[in-house]
Every structure is written in C-alpha cells, then in structure tokens.
Amino acid sequence: MPTTYDPKAAEQKWYQYWVEGNYFQAGKRPDAEPYTIVIPPPNVTGMLHIGHALDFTLQDILIRTKRMQGYDALWLPGTDHAGIATQTRVEKKLREQGLSRHDLGREAFLEKVWEWKDQYANTIRDQWSKMGLSLDYSRERFTLDEGLSKAVREVFVRLYEKGLIYRGKKIINWDPAARTALSDIEVEHKEVNGHLYHLQYPLKDGSGTITVATTRPETMLGDTAVAVHPEDERYKHLIGSMIVLPVLGREIPIVGDEYVDKEFGSGAVKITPAHDPNDFEVGQRHNLPQIIVMDESGVMNEEAGPYQGLDRFDCRKKLVSDLQEQGVCVLIEDHLHQVGHSERSGAVVEPYLSTQWFVAMKPLAEAAIKAQKSGKGVNFVPERFEKVYLNWIENVRDWCISRQLWWGHRIPAWYDENTGEITVSRENPEGDHLTQDNDVLDTWFSSALWPFSTLGWPEQTEDLMRYYPTNVLVTGYDIIYFWVSRMIFTALEFTDEMPFKDVLMHGLVRDKDGQKMSKSLGNGVDPLEVIEQYGADAMRFMISTGSTPGQDLRFRFEKVEQARNFANKIWNASRFALMNLEGFTAEDININVKLGTADRWILHRLNETVADVTRMIDSYEFGETGRVLYNFIWDDLCDWYIEFSKLSLNGTDQDAKRATQSVLSYVLDHTQRLIHPFMPFISEEIWQHLPHVGDTITLAEWPVYDPALEAPDAVREMELLMDMIRSVRNIRAEVNVPMSKKVELLIKAASDGEEAILKRNEVFIQRFCGTSLLEISKDIAAPDKAMTAILTGAELYLPLAGLIDIAQEVARLEKELANLNAEVQRVEKKLANEGFVAKAPAKVIEEERAKMNDYAEKRDKVLARIAELRG
C-alpha cells in the first residue's frame, strides 16, 4: 500500500470497477428478501447541492448495508422534469439570445428543454458517481419517460372517471412572473413590512361612510360588496344599502355574512370575489359578481378604469395617492404581515379567479388518515412528524393540478370545438374538431406516483411485484406536504398499499452559523468542491454522522477535516498491519486458537461494535453509529490493540505471532465492512489489500454478532492495564519525565486476582510504562517521595526522588481528593433523592451504589497517601 491514501485515484478506480461489474444491480438474488429504496428524484435544473449529498448518502448507507446483509437490494435512481423550474431556466437562456418560447413554438421549445434535460441528467449522474452512490442504473427513470407518462395518464383518467378530478373556476394562487397557477404548498409565505390602508366608502344616500381596511388597495377596483356581521348592532340596519365605490363610481351592496369578525378592525370588510379566496366564498353565498381587474402578468386591465395598463404595484401607488386626494384613504398604518411568494420565480403570488383542473382531496385524504390512525400507516422517524403529516392532510384543500406551461405531462383532455364537450382519455382521440388542453400537470402529480410508477405500474411487472412496497423513504422534512403526503394517498388509491414502510426525515444542511444556505447569502457549499479537497469518504462520514433524524446539520469544514484525519488513521493502521501480514492469506486466519488478553479483548470490542452498529443503522441513528465506529477504530483498534500487537508480531513466539496476525486480519477485515457503507472508497481500497475472499467489499457479508467472542475477563484485564498505562503516562507528563527515561514502578494489587492479572501482563506494563524496575505484589509498602495513582484494583507508586517536589505532589493529591469528594457527594445526593430511588431500575441503583463505594475507597487511599507524605 502507498504511504498516503489518494482519494481521487481510488474513487475513480473503484466506482468504475463497481459499475462495470454490475455490483449495484438488483435481481441477482432471487431467493433473497428484497429491500427497496427509490431515490427522491432531483430536478434536472442544475447541480446537486449539499442537501442532496446528505439525503443520498443516508440512502446509500442503508442500501449498502442491506446488500451486504444478503438482501436483494434495489436502489432505483431517477430525475424529475421539474416543470416550472426547468421551463423558467430554459426561457431565461432563450431571453439571453433575444428569443421567447412563443418565437420557437411549442414543439421546437420542447426540443430545447429536452436538450437541457439530457445535459443536466448526465451532470447529475456524474455527481452521483463522485459521491459513490450504489445505484442500479439499469433501472433509472425520468418523470417524463414513456412508462411514467402512461402511469400519469392512467391515474388522471381513473380519478376523472371517479369524479375526483374536475375542471372549475376558483380562486387559485397565480404566479404573474411564470404566468401559471400554483398549488398552496408551492407558495412560500414571508414576513413583509407593508401597510394597512383604511378606506372610507360613501353610502349612496349620502348619510355617511363605512370604513374598511386592506393591504392590497388595488383590488378595491374589483370590489362587489362590503360585508358586515348580521348581528353587528353598528351595521345591521345598513344591510341591503348601497355604497358608491370610489374612483369607479360603481354601486355595490352591503351584505350580512357571519364570515366577518365583529371584533376585528372596523367590523366591515371589502369583498373582492375574483381576488381573494375568502371573498370568493362570500360572493358565492350572496351571488355577487366576480370582477377580475388585472391580467395574467399582474397588469391592470380594462376593469381597472383609469389604471388600465399599470403594473399592480404601480397601480397601488397611484391609486392610494388619488384616494388620499379625494379624502377616501384616511389612514395608512405600518403593517408587518405574511405575503405569499412563488416558490419557483420569487414573485408575489396573486390570488386569482381562474378556470383550472383540481383533484378533490377529501376522499383521498380520508383513506390516508384512516390507515394512519388504525396503525396501518407509515412509520415516521422521528415520530413527531406523524403529527405534522396528519395536521396537513386533515385540513387539506382541493389540489390545483393544472399549470400554464409547455414542459410537463400535458393534460389528457380534449375539447370539442363544436359542442364544447370534454373528452378525457388514455389515448389521443381521433377527430379534426378536437383540441387538446394546452396546460400541463403539476410536477408533483407525476412525482406522487414515483414509488410504484418507476417499477412499471400500471402493468403488473416482475419488478413491481417483487420490490413494491418499498422499505424506506429518506427525505427532508420540508417536503412532507409537497411529496410524502401525496405519495401516500395516491399509493393507497391505486395499489391499496402504503408506498413505503418507514419515512426517515432528516433536517436541512445549514452553514456553520446555523443560517439556511442560499445564493443570496453566498453561504452555499458545493459537494463536489468538498470532495475535490477532502475526498468523498470524508464528506460522506461528516454529513451522515453529524446530525440526528429530523434535526438540522451545521456544515463545518473543520468537521470534514476531522473525518479526513479519521480516514488517514484507518489507512495508516492498515498499512502497519499489512507490513506484518506478508504472505498471510485468508485461509490462514484462525481465531479459534490460544489468544492473548489483548487479542481476546479486541475481538470482544469488535463484537460489541458489530451489534451496536447493526442495531443503530436499523434504527437510523447514523450520528451514534459514527461515534461508535470512530471510538472503536481510533481508540480501541489503533491506539491500543495495534500497539499491543507489536510485541507478539516482533517477538520470537511464532504461535503468538500467528494468533495475532489472525486477529489483526479478522478485525481489520470486519472493520472495513462496518465502515464501508459510510466510507465506501477507502474501505474497498484497504480490503482489496487485506487477506480476503471475494471480488468486492460491496458484496462481502455483513459482520454478525458472535456470542463465542464474548470475553468479559479479557475486558477486565485490559481495562486495568489501560487505566494503569494512562495513569503512569499522566504522571510522567505532570512532572515532565519523557517516555525515553526509564522509571521504577511499584504496583500494589488489591487482591490475588488483580496480582495474577498484572503479573500475567508484565511485558505490556514494562513496554508501555517504560520501566527500569517493576514490582507487583499485594504487600508492597508505599515508598517515600513517590508519585501515586489510585486505580480500581491497584495502587501505583513511582519513586521519583529528585524529580518531584513533595509539596507539589501533596497539592496534586489534594486536588484529586477534592474531585473524589465531589463525586461521593454527587452520588450520595442522587441516592438520597426519594424520587430517583422510587423510579430508577434496581440495576441502576446498584450501579450508583457501587460507584459511591469505589469513589469512597479511592478517597480513603488518597487521604492515607497524603498523610504518609506529610509524615
């Protein structure tokens, strides 16, 4: 192995090897249990960001683990056409050339978008490869490919035939920049510093005025009534009276409606049925006219009278100025309020009366709610997101699914030019007098079918029957409404099953200060740049183990550096091992021979780590998994076992050497397997150099817990030895005695058992404590002028006459005494707490008592030693 690990060379080499070997392809284990994840398809609008890297890495960890555990593991890749986002990007590119989509025409424009799609789909595949994702490319899908288009049409037609898709005129969210309808969840509500305008409308009979307030004064031009509560004593006598609308002079009625809150504002509300969803409902109840005062680009139309041709916001300024001159606008207040913005274009959304296609959500939502509440729903991780999901779906409104775009699934509806009748069909109907609807479907309509449409539905394909329902969906908590909910209700409607068993919700990746990453702040992180600098494994390990489910992650480059250092630690440890395994083969590995204490201890610790890592990956506790792996590899394996192994590897006992070579090979092999889902490249590179059987670690068997490897006696011995070595090294550091200078060490064992352990391991104590003289006995008397350490099971004395100041040693012991006193008091207080004793398990209480006794015993020994030194 080279002296240093080269991530770039390894990553390119091994990914090509994996793909060419078809190691990621599902379906090769027909007798194995299937395990399926479908990738949340990224939009073909550009480069993947660090949030994608987190999302995809978590999925890769799961799929690699399951593949190694023997499952027929399918991770299905794909991309989303992303209607508004992609069309907006392509139109922007055309504008730079002085063109619009209308200049090209629909067909030519769509050719341009397909070119864009092909370019960015290839870019995304390249990014997937650089991240090391083990995707089954043979099953890659796109939301506009032929199979998915067939599924979309099938769903549309079935829902239409059941009366769950309908065409109607309603107030919808309108994006004046993209000139398309939006669903409720495509609107981002942002706090905006605006104004509240108080307007006085004169009564027709001249008897007075009635005051209303609005944040959007330009919509008053479309007012068709003023509403008051029918029981409001201030206004009930005015119900049925007429008002003259300022500027336009249109007469409008005062209506009584319980929608009005008597206690809010003046108690009178302007009603604009064509520009407000609540006003629309009031207008329906009172049969009010619906007057649209602006066009689809947000420019005032002929209904706006003198303001025709003005942009809506320019109209607002001019109109308010005119109303102030006329004495109609009597007060303008500063007002902080929520304003809807288009998630795609950023434009302020306009509530707008429009004819659109809708999905009637109530029947679909009721089925999903019933399944979830009966225990047959999906398992949300963390569990709290189930409430978020239910809260939205219990209050869901009909879904506006038509978009005024050219890029997307065209609505399969045709209009008869002669009769006006609508034909909805799976196939294009024949007839010269039929014209297809120009609109396309909301992107999320096709995405909602992703778990089953990608597997071949509506056909009963082999893949659909084998891999559906899927096992887990991994996604950010920010798209529960957009995507997760919709996949659930469509899957229930069309497959009668939940689309996945678990939904793992992860948080957002934020910058080091906790701010959301954005282009405007310039704080985004490009995963490819991170990979270029630190390697894919370092990035993967950092982002996957840096947070807990549902929690946001702060991206810190120093954490990536730590992950890279961890990779280098693994590399260096493996290089050392391989230098001592020359000629050693997989057939030579035999751990069922006489083993030393350190050998048995590391196998025990590996066994515990295997159990913990397996359990925690199954529980999606990636942060804890990373901590366990890091501690085992860095501390137990590298800092302790490899150091201990050097004695037998360099010794003359050939049996001991062969045993250590076996253990070292076994532990390193299993360690690479455990770390592989997190760090696939370096683990493959190392594993290929180790004694092994098989073509790739990707298909190597996942380690399993083995009761035969449990060795609690070896753990006890090693803990005593490690505690002793640490204590001696701490004392050396305290008095500046380097390891190169030999010291005398006297060890007073607490019992025959401890004495036997220590004598059995004298060679390790001599080596790692750097002793010129070592004495071990139960009967050793504490010498004068010595440094002391009190351990569980032994007392250490280092006679260092001439090297220490007795007063300094007494001060050190007094500091240790203070710490022990604090620990004793802490545990005593805990055990004196009646609430703790009543609720805590008996085992926990016994452990606390044992701690107190241990601290008290150490304290007594420290007190005795202080007394000895003071003489």
Side-chain angles (χ1 to χ4, degrees), residues 342-393:
S342 169
E343 186 225 3
R344 293 301 180 193
S345 73
V348 173
V349 168
E350 190 67 41
Y352 198 71
L353 184 63
S354 179
T355 300
Q356 302 285 343
W357 288 89
F358 297 87
V359 175
M361 288 297 301
K362 191 176 179 182
L364 299 169
E366 284 174 349
I369 294 165
K370 181 180 178 182
Q372 197 67 30
K373 291 188 173 180
S374 67
K376 296 177 181 177
V378 299
N379 173 42
F380 282 89
V381 181
E383 190 177 341
R384 68 179 184 273
F385 285 106
E386 180 181 39
K387 291 181 181 177
V388 177
Y389 159 72
L390 283 173
N391 182 60
W392 181 77
I393 206 165

Side-chain angles (χ1 to χ4, degrees), residues 15-81:
Y15 201 79
Q16 185 177 352
Y17 176 77
W18 293 330
V19 172
E20 289 178 354
N22 291 322
Y23 296 127
F24 303 155
Q25 194 168 327
K28 296 180 178 181
R29 297 169 173 171
D31 298 327
E33 183 180 344
Y35 183 92
T36 315
I37 299 176
V38 291
I39 200 168
N43 296 343
V44 286
T45 49
M47 308 287 279
L48 301 181
H49 53 67
I50 198 68
H52 288 116
L54 169 62
D55 191 66
F56 298 157
T57 299
L58 297 182
Q59 293 169 66
D60 198 33
I61 289 168
L62 292 170
I63 212 74
R64 284 183 182 273
T65 301
K66 294 302 177 182
R67 191 182 290 120
M68 294 173 77
Q69 288 175 338
Y71 288 82
D72 179 15
L74 167 62
W75 188 15
L76 190 147
T79 47
D80 195 305
H81 68 278

Side-chain angles (χ1 to χ4, degrees), residues 180-329:
T180 182
L182 304 171
S183 66
D184 290 344
I185 55 179
E186 288 172 304
V187 179
E188 292 181 310
H189 291 277
K190 303 176 183 178
E191 279 198 343
V192 172
N193 288 308
H195 297 94
L196 189 61
Y197 303 88
H198 296 261
L199 311 177
Q200 286 185 341
Y201 289 3
L203 294 165
K204 180 185 176 183
D205 62 9
S207 61
T209 61
I210 191 165
T211 302
V212 297
T214 180
T215 58
R216 298 160 63 221
E218 65 278 6
T219 62
M220 68 163 286
L221 301 170
D223 284 359
T224 54
V226 167
V228 297
H229 194 281
E231 302 303 322
D232 192 328
E233 295 295 335
R234 295 170 295 175
Y235 303 119
K236 61 191 302 185
H237 66 286
L238 294 176
I239 294 173
S241 301
M242 301 300 287
I243 291 170
V244 178
L245 186 66
V247 179
L248 297 182
R250 187 168 62 241
E251 294 183 8
I252 60 175
I254 296 175
V255 298
D257 197 285
E258 293 183 351
Y259 155 71
V260 181
D261 182 352
K262 290 188 293 183
E263 309 304 320
F264 184 77
S266 67
V269 179
K270 62 187 284 298
I271 301 299
T272 320
H275 290 278
D276 182 279
N278 295 314
D279 293 3
F280 176 80
E281 298 297 333
V282 174
Q284 292 286 90
R285 289 194 288 273
H286 297 276
N287 198 28
L288 298 174
Q290 301 163 340
I291 301 175
I292 299 172
V293 297
M294 64 184 75
D295 66 18
E296 293 178 350
S297 59
V299 173
M300 308 309 290
N301 63 18
E302 65 277 3
E303 295 288 355
Y307 305 99
Q308 181 178 358
L310 290 179
D311 173 80
R312 53 185 170 154
F313 298 120
D314 292 334
C315 172
R316 178 181 299 178
K317 293 176 187 175
K318 179 76 167 62
L319 176 60
V320 168
S321 176
D322 292 346
L323 292 174
Q324 285 177 308
E325 283 185 18
Q326 295 174 21
V328 174
C329 183

